[in-house]
Amino acid sequence: MLRAIESVASRVSGLVAMIGGIILFVMMVQVSLDVALKYLLNRPIPSTLEIVSAYYMVALVFLPLGVVTRDHELLEVELFTQHLPPRKIAFFKLLGCVIGAVYVFFLFKEGIEEAFHKTEIGEVWETATFDIPVWGARWFYPIGTFLMGIYLVLYAIENFVFVTRGEHVLPDRSLKSAVEAAIADAERATSHTRGDDGSLGVGKGGGSAE
C-alpha cells in the first residue's frame, strides 16, 4: 500500500516538475525575445517583467518541491551525523521529516486558503498597458508544498520502520542511488561482452575472436 502511494506521488511530482521545466523554457524564450525586440526594433514584449515575477519565477520555485524532496535533494548538514550507524542516522532523519511535515502543513494550509481567496476575487496586477490576472499563480505554492508534505510523511514512515525493524519499505530514488545503479548496469553489460581475461566474447559459447 505504501509503495503504491509513493508510486502515484512520484508520477504526479514528476509531471508537475516537467510543467515547471516547460515554464522555464517558455520564460527563456520570452525574455530573450523581449531583449532582442527591445534593442533591434524598440518594441519589447509588454509586461514581461510582471509576467516573469508573477508566474514564471513562482512556478520555478514551488513546482519542483515534490521531486526535490522525493530525490533527497534538499540540503543536509552531516557534520555531526556522517559517522553514525545507519539506524541512528535514520532516527535523525525521522525527526527532521516529522518537524518538516508539520511546518509544511501550516505552509500548505495558509497557501490553499490564500489561493482560494485570490481566485474568488480574481486577483490582477495593474500594468502600464493592461491588467494581468495573477490569481492562477497562487496555486503553484499549495501544489508544491502539498507534494513536499506527502513525501515528508512517506519518508518519516520509511525511517521509522528502518529504526524499529531495520527494513526499507520505499524505493531509494536519490540521485546517488540512481548513479550507482547505472554504473552497476554498465559493469554488468561490460562483463557480458568481455571474457574473464578481458577478451571480447562472441557467439553463444563466448569464445574469443581469432
Side-chain angles (χ1 to χ4, degrees):
M1 180 63 179
L2 201 63
R3 283 180 174 265
I5 295 174
E6 194 279 335
S7 179
V8 173
S10 177
R11 293 178 182 179
V12 174
S13 297
L15 176 61
V16 172
M18 184 176 67
I19 294 173
I22 294 172
I23 291 174
L24 173 62
F25 176 77
V26 173
M27 182 182 72
M28 292 169 57
V29 172
Q30 180 170 343
V31 171
S32 299
L33 284 175
D34 179 65
V35 173
L37 292 174
K38 176 181 179 180
Y39 287 101
L40 295 178
L41 303 177
N42 197 27
R43 295 176 63 88
I45 300 175
S47 303
T48 293
L49 178 61
E50 289 81 1
I51 294 173
V52 169
S53 301
Y55 278 93
Y56 297 156
M57 295 306 298
V58 178
L60 295 181
V61 170
F62 293 108
L63 292 185
L65 284 179
V67 165
V68 169
T69 310
R70 181 196 69 183
D71 296 346
H72 304 282
E73 293 300 317
L74 295 172
L75 187 64
E76 293 184 4
V77 179
E78 301 176 335
L79 180 62
F80 301 106
T81 61
Q82 58 184 333
H83 298 301
L84 292 177
R87 284 198 177 187
K88 289 186 177 180
I89 293 177
F91 171 77
F92 285 106
K93 288 187 175 182
L94 168 62
L95 185 63
C97 286
V98 171
I99 295 173
V102 173
Y103 180 69
V104 168
F105 168 77
F106 286 106
L107 293 179
F108 170 75
K109 180 176 178 295
E110 293 297 323
I112 197 73
E113 291 175 356
E114 186 75 2
F116 274 116
H117 173 64
K118 296 301 184 181
T119 301
E120 184 179 1
I121 66 175
E123 182 187 21
V124 298
W125 280 7
E126 294 182 3
T127 68
T129 53
F130 57 88
D131 293 342
I132 303 176
V134 297
W135 57 266
R138 296 287 184 176
W139 290 95
F140 296 149
Y141 176 73
I143 289 173
T145 52
F146 175 76
L147 293 173
M148 184 180 188
I150 290 292
Y151 265 102
L152 287 173
V153 171
L154 288 173
Y155 286 144
I157 298 172
E158 156 76 9
N159 285 300
F160 176 78
V161 172
F162 186 75
V163 169
T164 55
R165 303 181 189 174
E167 301 175 357
H168 292 288
V169 294
L170 293 177
D172 185 359
R173 298 187 184 276
S174 64
L175 179 61
K176 178 180 178 182
S177 176
V179 171
E180 290 175 348
I183 292 174
D185 289 341
E187 290 177 346
R188 282 195 294 268
T190 303
S191 66
H192 285 314
T193 57
R194 291 182 176 275
D196 294 336
D197 59 352
S199 59
L200 290 174
V202 294
K204 294 184 179 180
S208 59
E210 295 293 341

